[in-house]
Amino acid sequence: MKKILVAYVSRTGNTEKMAEFIAEGLRFSGNTADVKKVADIKDEKVLAGFDGYIFGCPTYHKDITAGMKTFLFIAEKANLVGKMGGAFGSSTHSGESAQMVYDTMQHVFKMDMVNLGALNLKEQTVKSPDGQRACQDYGKAVGKMFK
């Protein structure tokens, strides 16, 4: 059983809901999951002790939020090279943030990312049964990387 951190920014509650559903999927795969708001992570020491990481952020003006940008600088100090990872986000229309976070984790942090790419859902889909299932399946896919 591995321990995975799901850290997220949420403006309207949709990305937070995605984080909870992804954590359920991680637990379904036999792992443990801690869910935290990135605003509660003040330094890289909080990131120690996890086997994998999934970061989530909504798209805001075709970009990641300022809070996620600050968090990614903190995460960079944690030396996550080779750790398992994934990224997710929600959007009303454009959806760039999830891929931006994923690319940062893969290319800057040198993490071993889930081969599904980033999970990006439209806000109206997040709370639907299909949205819930998509998030849980994403969590399961990351969780299976540890088998």
Side-chain angles (χ1 to χ4, degrees):
M1 179 183 308
K2 300 295 182 177
K3 185 176 177 183
I4 297 113
L5 173 65
V6 181
Y8 70 93
V9 172
S10 189
R11 294 177 52 82
T12 63
N14 288 304
T15 309
E16 179 178 20
K17 185 55 83 177
M18 289 179 75
E20 294 294 340
F21 291 148
I22 289 169
E24 285 177 1
L26 289 163
R27 293 178 191 117
F28 292 157
S29 70
N31 296 289
T32 62
D34 286 3
V35 180
K36 295 182 184 282
K37 292 178 182 179
V38 299
D40 295 336
I41 300 172
K42 302 300 183 192
D43 62 47
E44 70 275 9
K45 294 176 193 131
V46 177
L47 300 175
F50 292 95
D51 301 295
Y53 302 84
I54 305 176
F55 300 156
C57 182
T59 298
Y60 186 66
H61 295 292
K62 296 187 177 192
D63 200 358
I64 59 177
T65 65
M68 179 55 77
K69 288 178 183 179
T70 299
F71 169 73
L72 290 173
F73 284 114
I74 292 169
E76 187 174 18
K77 295 177 187 174
N79 188 22
L80 304 178
V81 174
K83 296 283 188 174
M84 302 294 182
F88 65 97
S90 63
S91 65
T92 55
H93 60 284
S94 61
E96 294 88 354
S97 69
Q99 191 62 49
M100 293 170 83
V101 172
Y102 185 96
D103 289 346
T104 299
M105 295 170 81
Q106 182 176 34
H107 300 295
V108 177
F109 300 168
K110 306 293 186 212
M111 295 176 71
D112 187 8
M113 302 299 285
V114 64
N115 63 2
L116 296 175
L119 175 64
N120 185 30
L121 295 178
K122 298 289 184 203
E123 287 186 356
Q124 64 270 22
T125 305
V126 171
K127 295 178 185 173
S128 73
D130 288 341
Q132 179 177 354
R133 192 169 26 261
C135 293
Q136 290 169 339
D137 287 348
Y138 193 82
K140 284 188 236 179
V142 175
K144 288 179 182 175
M145 291 174 66
F146 293 106
K147 303 293 182 199

